[in-house]
Amino acid sequence: MEQQEFTGTEAPATAADLRAIEQEYGFVFPEDYKAHILRVNGGWPRRNTFLQSRENGRTTERDINQFKPVQHGSYTLERSLESLRDQLHPDLIPFADEAGGDQFCLSVGPEDYGSVYYIAHESYRPPAFLEDDELVPQPREYGEGVHFLAPSFTAFLEGLIEVPDEDDEDEV
């Protein structure tokens, strides 16, 4: 598959930038994500739509607004981690978002390490342990409104498609 094109990327991130985040938050990024962010730091992908398979056999378009850059830019991965950590399972790392505020997350959990999930904020209900200090986080107990998209970051990138704007279709 051809390499994904991005526009609006930030200055390159470094391996030291990634290690600092890993050490601060106590997780290790999947290798395919690290390779991507060292090559392309944030930005907007040309192919920006992922077709989420639904249980009823239909698909739902999930459009990426922006990949979060590391270290550089206004809405960084670090800023997102800080603002969302008390609302998300600690195994979910938000790496991109949709225009309405929904999040695309990587799992760093032991049972589904590297998998990509989509969090629909309108239907999201956090896992119970975030509201009850006596409960302990359980693997893959991510809360209501969290949807599996792909088994790896690479599979997620390869699954992105370009959907023509409706305005473009009118201009024949």
Side-chain angles (χ1 to χ4, degrees), residues 148-169:
F148 174 83
L149 295 180
S152 69
F153 185 74
T154 299
F156 175 75
L157 286 179
E158 290 174 350
L160 291 174
I161 61 170
E162 186 173 13
V163 176
D165 289 336
E166 291 176 10
D167 295 339
D168 293 346
E169 292 175 4

Side-chain angles (χ1 to χ4, degrees), residues 40-158:
V40 179
N41 193 15
W44 300 275
R46 182 178 58 82
R47 295 187 318 267
N48 69 335
T49 301
F50 191 90
L51 297 178
Q52 174 191 343
S53 298
R54 309 288 300 240
E55 289 179 10
N56 62 7
R58 303 182 100 170
T59 58
T60 299
E61 290 182 9
R62 300 297 186 190
D63 299 323
I64 296 173
N65 178 50
Q66 167 180 0
F67 277 76
K68 299 168 196 278
V70 168
Q71 187 68 30
H72 307 284
S74 58
Y75 194 62
T76 62
L77 179 78
E78 300 94 304
R79 181 176 165 201
S80 183
L81 280 169
E82 190 164 317
S83 66
L84 294 173
R85 287 312 277 178
D86 63 343
Q87 301 168 42
L88 297 178
H89 192 289
D91 290 348
L92 293 179
I93 310 304
F95 69 87
D97 58 33
E98 197 171 47
D102 294 346
Q103 300 293 315
F104 294 87
C105 295
L106 276 171
S107 171
V108 292
E111 293 185 12
D112 59 346
Y113 184 77
S115 293
V116 175
Y117 290 87
Y118 178 84
I119 299 177
H121 76 276
E122 298 89 1
S123 61
Y124 178 65
R125 298 293 169 262
F129 72 84
L130 287 175
E131 298 169 2
D132 185 342
D133 292 338
E134 294 184 19
L135 297 175
V136 201
Q138 297 299 312
R140 299 186 67 170
E141 188 181 293
Y142 297 142
E144 204 174 303
V146 179
H147 308 281
F148 174 83
L149 295 180
S152 69
F153 185 74
T154 299
F156 175 75
L157 286 179
E158 290 174 350

